[in-house]
Amino acid sequence: MRKIWKLVLTVSGFLAVLGILLLVTGLILGGHSALKELLSTAKGEAQADSYHTICDGADVKNLRISGVACVLYIRVHDGNSFIIEGAERAGLTYKAEGGSIELTEMPERSLLRIFSDDEAVATLFVPRSAKLAETSIRFAAGSLDVENLRSARLKIDLQAGDMKASGIDADAITVNASAANASIQLNGREKDYNYGISGEACEIRIGDTAYNGMDLMTGRTIDNKGSKTASIKASAGSVAVTFEE
C-alpha cells in the first residue's frame, strides 16, 4: 500500500513541476509576443515619422545633446533649419526654446532599444551657416560622429563609447573622456591653440606628440600664445587631436 502511495505522490509531484514549467513557458512566450508587438509598433512609428524639422536655425545659439546607447551623426546641410532624422528609432526627444536646442534620451525607449534588433541611429542636420555660441555633448555610451560643426565653445563629455569628429571650428574646446576613445580634427594650426591636458590610464595625442604616464598624472600646460584653447582630460582610453588648415 505504501508503495502505491509513494508512486501516486511521485506522479503528482512530476505533474506539478510539469504544470509550473508549462505556465512559465506560456508567460515567457506571451510576454515575448507582447514585446515583439510593442517593438513592431515602435519601429513602425519610427519609420513612418522619422524625419522632423526642429526649428529655423537663425535664432539658435546653443545646442545641448545628451544620449545613451545610440549612434548619433551630426552633419551640416545647406538648408536653414535644424533637422533630426531617426529620433524615435534612437530613443531621442528634442525641444527648441529660448535660442537653444536640447536633444536628450527618452527613458521609455531605452528598454525597447535593448530588446530590438534595429540599430539605434539618428542624424542631426545643422545649417551650414550656423555659428553656435555653445555646444554641449554628453554621452554615457554609444558612438558620436561629427563633421564641420562651428561653435565658439564646444564641451564634450564621453563616459564610454567612441567619438570621431572632423572639421571642427571652435575657439574653446573641452573634452572629458572617461572610458572612451576620441579622434578630433580641429580647423587651424596646432600653434593656434593653448592646451591643458591631464589623465590617468590613457594616452592623449596632440598633433605628432603623445602624452601618457606621469605627463598626464601631474597635468601639462602647453602655452603657444595662441588665441584658442583646448582642455583635455581622460581617465582611460585615448584622445587624439589633429589639425587641418
Side-chain angles (χ1 to χ4, degrees):
M1 189 70 178
R2 278 184 290 180
K3 289 184 178 180
I4 294 175
W5 278 110
K6 186 175 181 181
L7 179 61
V8 170
L9 290 174
T10 301
V11 172
S12 298
F14 173 77
L15 291 176
V17 171
L18 180 61
I20 292 173
L21 289 174
L22 290 173
L23 176 62
V24 171
T25 302
L27 288 174
I28 291 174
L29 291 176
H32 182 65
S33 297
L35 181 59
K36 284 183 68 177
E37 183 178 351
L38 185 59
L39 288 172
S40 178
T41 301
K43 181 179 178 181
E45 291 174 355
Q47 290 177 340
D49 195 19
S50 63
Y51 194 82
H52 305 270
T53 297
I54 300 176
C55 67
D56 184 79
D59 299 325
V60 176
K61 297 301 179 185
N62 301 304
L63 176 62
R64 299 184 181 92
I65 299 172
S66 179
V68 177
C70 71
V71 178
L72 178 63
Y73 295 91
I74 299 179
R75 298 289 187 265
V76 298
H77 72 127
D78 293 325
N80 298 318
S81 299
F82 281 80
I83 298 170
I84 183 74
E85 183 178 16
E88 290 281 342
R89 183 173 61 246
L92 300 174
T93 186
Y94 55 87
K95 65 177 181 179
E97 59 183 17
S100 297
I101 291 177
E102 292 188 11
L103 184 65
T104 58
E105 181 191 24
M106 290 188 291
E108 64 269 22
R109 293 289 183 179
S110 301
L111 183 61
L112 297 181
R113 290 204 311 271
I114 292 173
F115 288 100
S116 175
D117 293 331
D118 293 334
E119 188 175 20
V121 180
T123 303
L124 175 66
F125 295 96
V126 177
R128 190 180 302 276
S129 59
K131 179 63 183 291
L132 299 165
E134 181 171 295
T135 299
S136 175
I137 301 174
R138 186 170 62 87
F139 259 54
S143 179
L144 180 65
D145 190 318
V146 186
E147 289 183 0
N148 302 319
L149 183 67
R150 296 199 305 163
S151 183
R153 296 182 300 278
L154 176 59
K155 299 178 180 180
I156 301 168
D157 187 354
L158 299 172
Q159 298 301 309
D162 60 85
M163 172 185 178
K164 181 175 69 174
S166 61
I168 303 301
D169 185 351
D171 298 326
I173 180 170
T174 301
V175 180
N176 182 18
S178 295
N181 297 310
S183 174
I184 304 169
Q185 184 259 307
L186 299 175
N187 288 348
R189 303 168 298 175
E190 183 175 343
K191 64 181 181 181
D192 292 337
Y193 291 82
N194 303 320
Y195 310 93
I197 59 176
S198 62
E200 296 175 10
C202 66
E203 178 181 274
I204 296 176
R205 180 176 292 273
I206 306 293
D208 295 326
T209 305
Y211 302 90
N212 49 46
M214 291 302 296
D215 286 335
L216 300 179
M217 293 181 65
T218 57
R220 290 288 301 270
T221 300
I222 304 164
D223 186 1
N224 289 324
K225 308 300 181 184
S227 60
K228 302 181 178 182
T229 61
S231 176
I232 302 171
K233 181 179 180 180
S235 299
S238 65
V239 178
V241 181
T242 58
F243 306 87
E244 182 175 329
E245 297 186 37

